Amino acid sequence: MAMTNNKTLCFKCNQEKITYFCKGCSNEFCLLDLIEHRQTLNNELHLITNDYNEFKEGINEQKQNPHNHSLIKQIDQWEIKSIEIIQQKAQDCRQVAIESLQTCINDIEKKFNDLTEQIKHLQKENDFNEINLNHLTNQLIEITQELNNPSNISIQQDSQSVIDGISIILLKKLKWDRWKRNAITVAGGNGEGQKLNQLDKPRGIFVDKNKNIFIADCSNHRIVEWKRDAEEGQIIAGGNGEGHRMDQLNRPTDVIVDQQNHSIIIADRGNRRVIQWLNQKQQILIDNIDCGRLAMDKHGYLYVSNWKNDEVRRWKMGEYNEGIVVAGGNGRGNQLNQLNLPTFIFVDEDQSIYVTDLNNHRVMKWRKDAEEGTIVVGGNGQGQNLNQLYYPEGLFIDDLGQIYVADSRNNRIMRWCEGKEEGEIVVGENDGGNQANQFNGPSGLSFDDEGNLYVVDFNNRRVQKFEIIL
């Protein structure tokens, strides 16, 4: 009787032998190969044990010496680099501050020298009174404060980051320019009439780069241009009587010169239209609008104040559809999103819109795309205090953000710094009149590139030029 064959193929030697099953790898091994296989497993376990021992040593090392961890080393590197950056930033700020302080000191020294010369002059002429002495005392106090605490230099810290940032803030240095108190009449001033040397209720004004003056001669239904130093003007639009023909105007209230396209744009209020004149050819840009005043920004957008709807709208040149409301438009009132008979407008470099809010006795500023404005001038009821206006009209914002307003019923031109509670009188007196230092209802205002101030003296039918004192 034959023996039962219980042999199988060995996984290792590939021979038929009595084999033993390994549950770990699911293979059959003969006895010799099984012993070798187990030894291999023992060797692998020994290696793993060594790895674990090394890992344990790593844990102990980090527990005993946590500062050697790679994260800590990264932080150390960050610290070194940050210190280098801070030191460089501090050095840069010191340099800017030193240079700015030196400029400030030089300006103050110049003011001081000017005051010293005034004192010498007063002493020499022996012609002074309490007003002169008070002026000198106040000026010394001002420049002393400016020397000790420069108003145009400050430190700004940024606490939003992990390390407080720091930078030097150089504020725009306010130029408290002065103008001669007595003006020169540069247009009109020859009584009410329609002769070329006369004006009748002039409103808006535009002064071009050549100091030519363009005037909306409202009651003469025309736009006149007075060349620099001319004794009379010339009609460049309208002047054909009151009417609605294309060659006529009806009580125009404002004019701007598009110097790039050599055309003029007119607020033809009586005809409820904005019209463009180009080489004696006319084109209606906007129709059926109760237009008051005009402005154009550096991008060529046209702005129109609508006194009846209490709003300011903006149009892209060449696309005269409904326009976009950029100020007011929420009914007549005195809330921050409302206006009450807007008149003159000014648009700055950021496309913020300034509006003289006539019946609210204030000037409003509407930032681009804002839903409401802020009061930047007045807003304290009608009056003649330095924090009040009385029917403001003409408006101009200079490069330093200083706001100039024709305070019509107070017969004065005011200057305000945004954020200040009070303004100062630039020219004019509270009592109206027709003298060289007086107004009777100032309306539009403008500046030439030398800083000379031009004011439309409405009821005196003239334009006054106040020369800047250099």
Side-chain angles (χ1 to χ4, degrees), residues 27 128 170 253:
N27 291 317
F128 57 89
L170 302 178
T253 52

Side-chain angles (χ1 to χ4, degrees), residues 16 23 48 62 76 85 134 165 236 248 284 379 397 419 433 439:
E16 286 194 358
K23 291 184 178 181
I48 292 173
Q62 291 194 24
D76 292 342
I85 293 172
N134 287 335
I236 60 171
Q248 293 179 307
I284 295 175
I397 317 298
F439 300 115

Side-chain angles (χ1 to χ4, degrees), residues 189-208:
N190 296 300
E192 176 182 329
Q194 54 184 315
K195 294 180 181 179
L196 292 179
N197 69 342
Q198 294 179 307
L199 298 170
D200 190 1
K201 295 182 180 178
R203 291 286 189 179
I205 184 177
F206 186 96
V207 181
D208 71 11

Side-chain angles (χ1 to χ4, degrees), residues 224-450:
V224 291
E225 177 186 5
W226 288 65
K227 297 288 187 180
R228 183 177 181 179
D229 301 325
E231 294 184 357
E232 63 180 31
Q234 58 183 6
I235 301 171
I236 60 171
N240 298 306
E242 176 184 346
H244 61 270
R245 296 197 316 260
M246 291 294 286
D247 66 339
Q248 293 179 307
L249 298 172
N250 184 351
R251 289 175 290 131
T253 52
D254 205 4
V255 57
I256 57 177
V257 179
D258 185 354
Q259 299 179 78
Q260 183 176 359
N261 297 317
H262 307 289
S263 68
I264 61 171
I265 301 174
I266 305 163
D268 191 10
R269 174 170 170 165
N271 285 322
R272 302 184 64 247
R273 66 189 183 187
V274 176
I275 189 168
Q276 182 183 49
W277 284 57
L278 175 61
N279 297 326
Q280 293 303 310
K281 294 182 180 179
Q282 301 84 36
Q283 175 188 2
I284 295 175
L285 302 182
I286 308 169
D287 206 358
N288 298 318
I289 181 172
D290 294 293
C291 49
R293 304 296 187 271
L294 308 172
M296 183 178 291
D297 67 21
K298 65 179 182 180
H299 303 290
Y301 286 94
L302 179 65
Y303 299 74
V304 184
S305 61
N306 187 319
W307 60 271
K308 196 168 185 178
N309 289 348
D310 299 294
E311 67 183 19
V312 177
R313 284 183 181 261
R314 182 184 71 203
W315 281 265
K316 185 177 182 179
M317 292 294 285
E319 299 180 8
Y320 299 106
N321 40 36
E322 292 297 317
I324 299 173
V325 176
V326 291
N330 296 295
R332 179 163 293 183
N334 61 5
Q335 302 301 309
L336 293 180
N337 67 343
Q338 294 179 307
L339 298 169
N340 188 344
L341 211 163
T343 54
F344 287 85
I345 48 182
F346 188 96
V347 185
D348 68 12
E349 291 289 313
D350 300 322
Q351 291 185 297
S352 293
I353 301 106
Y354 295 78
V355 188
T356 45
D357 193 7
L358 188 76
N359 287 338
N360 283 326
H361 312 286
R362 66 188 185 184
V363 175
M364 299 290 292
K365 178 181 179 180
W366 293 65
R367 296 189 182 277
K368 185 180 179 182
D369 301 326
E371 296 184 357
E372 63 179 31
T374 56
I375 301 171
V376 292
V377 175
N380 298 299
Q382 70 181 47
Q384 62 182 20
N385 294 327
L386 293 180
N387 68 341
Q388 292 179 306
L389 298 172
Y390 193 0
Y391 292 123
E393 293 209 36
L395 182 64
F396 188 91
I397 317 298
D398 68 14
D399 292 339
L400 299 174
Q402 299 173 115
I403 306 167
Y404 296 79
V405 185
D407 193 8
S408 67
R409 291 291 179 87
N410 283 325
N411 297 303
R412 64 191 185 184
I413 305 299
M414 298 286 291
R415 172 169 54 191
W416 293 59
C417 292
E418 191 171 337
K420 296 291 185 181
E421 295 182 358
E422 293 185 348
E424 65 163 353
I425 299 173
V426 175
V427 290
E429 309 292 340
N430 288 329
D431 295 328
N434 59 8
Q435 300 302 309
N437 65 343
Q438 293 179 310
F439 300 115
N440 189 351
S443 182
L445 61 84
S446 187
F447 290 86
D448 63 27
D449 55 5
E450 292 179 355

